[in-house]
Amino acid sequence: MASGNAIRGTRVGSGPMGESVRGELAPRVRVSYWCAAGHETEALFATDPDTEVPLEWECHDCGLPVGLDKDDPPEAAKTAPYKTHLAYVKERRTDEDGQALLDEALSHLRERRGG
Ligand SMILES: [Zn+2]
């Protein structure tokens, strides 16, 4: 019924501005979102045809992405910072191992320079 041009032109029962009444009476819909940690985040959206309810939101408790499906929330891993290869290497090796590797690398460099 968006093409009611004839009715809109008559301004039936509307205020001087024609829009003021609409804001007060605008119905709202409460939408529940769920994060991977099980938090429920509620958000209110106007049921205006122009308003699009987003499929994903942000958890009010922990900031993780939340979705409409409680049983299948967005993966928290999506927002985990990308781990560099060096970070993995550091996790695998102790400081001693790292120092030994560094010494070995340095000695190779010295050999090349000396040659
Ligand atoms: Zn959460």
Side-chain angles (χ1 to χ4, degrees):
M1 292 306 196
S3 60
N5 288 336
I7 295 177
R8 179 177 289 182
T10 60
R11 283 191 177 183
V12 177
S14 61
M17 298 302 290
E19 299 275 8
S20 59
V21 178
R22 182 167 162 266
E24 295 171 17
L25 297 180
R28 291 178 184 275
V29 60
R30 186 190 300 267
V31 180
S32 287
Y33 293 91
W34 306 88
C35 81
H39 300 135
E40 180 179 8
T41 296
E42 288 186 344
L44 287 175
F45 297 99
T47 56
D48 190 288
D50 296 334
T51 303
E52 282 190 31
V53 176
L55 293 178
E56 291 193 6
W57 202 249
E58 187 177 88
C59 179
H60 288 182
D61 291 320
C62 63
L64 288 175
V66 290
L68 294 171
D69 192 345
K70 183 181 182 180
D71 294 325
D72 188 22
E75 294 258 350
K78 274 186 191 171
T79 56
Y82 175 73
K83 225 178 236 182
T84 63
H85 178 69
L86 182 61
Y88 280 113
V89 171
K90 279 184 177 174
E91 278 185 7
R92 280 206 306 260
R93 301 189 182 280
T94 66
D95 286 344
E96 271 184 41
D97 286 339
Q99 188 60 47
L101 284 172
L102 187 61
D103 289 341
E104 189 181 8
L106 284 175
S107 66
H108 281 303
L109 276 176
R110 292 194 192 101
E111 284 176 11
R112 281 184 201 169
R113 281 181 188 172

